[in-house]
Amino acid sequence: MTTKKNETLEESVARLHAVLVGMGRYGPLRDHLDFDLSDLTAGQVHVLARLGHDGPLPMGELARRIGISLPGCTRLVDRMKDAGHVLRERDTEDRRVVIVRLAAAGRRLFEQIDEGARVKMQGLLSVLEPDDRQQFVDILEKLATGIARLIEEDPGVLENAS
């Protein structure tokens, strides 16, 4: 690991990019969970995670949070509804709005996925010393707070970041 004092933002981005690309060579985290997700697509796992963590969401907001188009989200949710994982309901105040929520089967899947992710994170974080682990999580919290502040100030700030 190469650490340089007072590196530029561009140097930090390059290092972070290299680390994340390198970690990606081991495959997605969902491939290493201790239960079978073969019947679920990555998009379905994202829907389960978002609804599990955030609760019921309007279809448009769900699409935004998982980063897909509204028509794509509608198709994805329709398949998940047919499988018994989610429920689609009309908003009581605006019947044009469709609210998506987890069905009981979807809640059970989410709980499996979430617990599996926690176990996996425990294994991954165990490679760090306790002080490093705490500092790593502290920095991620600062990053999340900073991103939330950026988005609050300019909701479209990350839309053209790619």
Side-chain angles (χ1 to χ4, degrees):
M1 177 167 66
T2 306
T3 304
K4 179 179 163 186
K5 281 240 186 241
N6 301 319
E7 70 184 4
T8 66
L9 178 58
E10 291 79 15
E11 290 169 328
S12 295
V13 167
R15 281 184 49 224
L16 176 61
H17 184 264
V19 167
L20 293 176
V21 167
M23 289 174 64
R25 290 188 181 104
Y26 301 113
L29 285 177
R30 74 183 285 258
D31 288 353
H32 304 289
L33 297 175
D34 294 329
F35 53 91
D36 185 16
L37 288 177
S38 61
D39 293 340
L40 298 174
T41 66
Q44 290 170 328
V45 171
H46 278 100
V47 168
L48 291 168
R50 276 289 50 92
L51 295 176
H53 287 292
D54 299 347
L57 292 169
M59 186 77 73
E61 181 61 16
L62 177 61
R64 187 190 69 74
R65 290 188 190 186
I66 64 173
I68 63 174
S69 69
L70 182 57
C73 189
T74 300
R75 287 188 298 275
L76 181 59
V77 166
D78 285 346
R79 287 192 303 274
M80 293 180 75
K81 179 181 176 284
D82 292 344
H85 297 141
V86 299
L87 302 170
R88 290 175 52 129
E89 303 166 348
R90 292 286 174 187
D91 188 312
T92 56
E93 295 185 20
D94 185 347
R95 303 283 300 154
R96 296 171 298 178
V97 176
V98 174
I99 304 294
V100 184
R101 72 177 64 247
L102 289 178
R107 169 68 51 197
R108 286 190 298 275
L109 269 174
F110 163 72
E111 288 168 358
Q112 274 189 302
I113 292 166
D114 197 53
E115 179 58 26
R118 288 173 187 271
V119 168
K120 188 53 60 181
M121 282 185 246
Q122 184 174 350
L124 294 172
L125 289 176
S126 71
V127 303
L128 298 174
E129 295 296 324
D131 287 345
D132 290 340
R133 187 171 53 241
Q134 183 174 346
Q135 187 176 14
F136 174 71
V137 175
D138 288 347
I139 289 169
L140 285 178
E141 287 175 340
K142 285 181 185 178
L143 181 63
T145 300
I147 290 169
R149 191 171 40 252
L150 278 175
I151 291 170
E152 189 175 295
E153 292 168 4
D154 178 5
V157 69
L158 300 180
E159 289 179 13
N160 295 322
S162 55

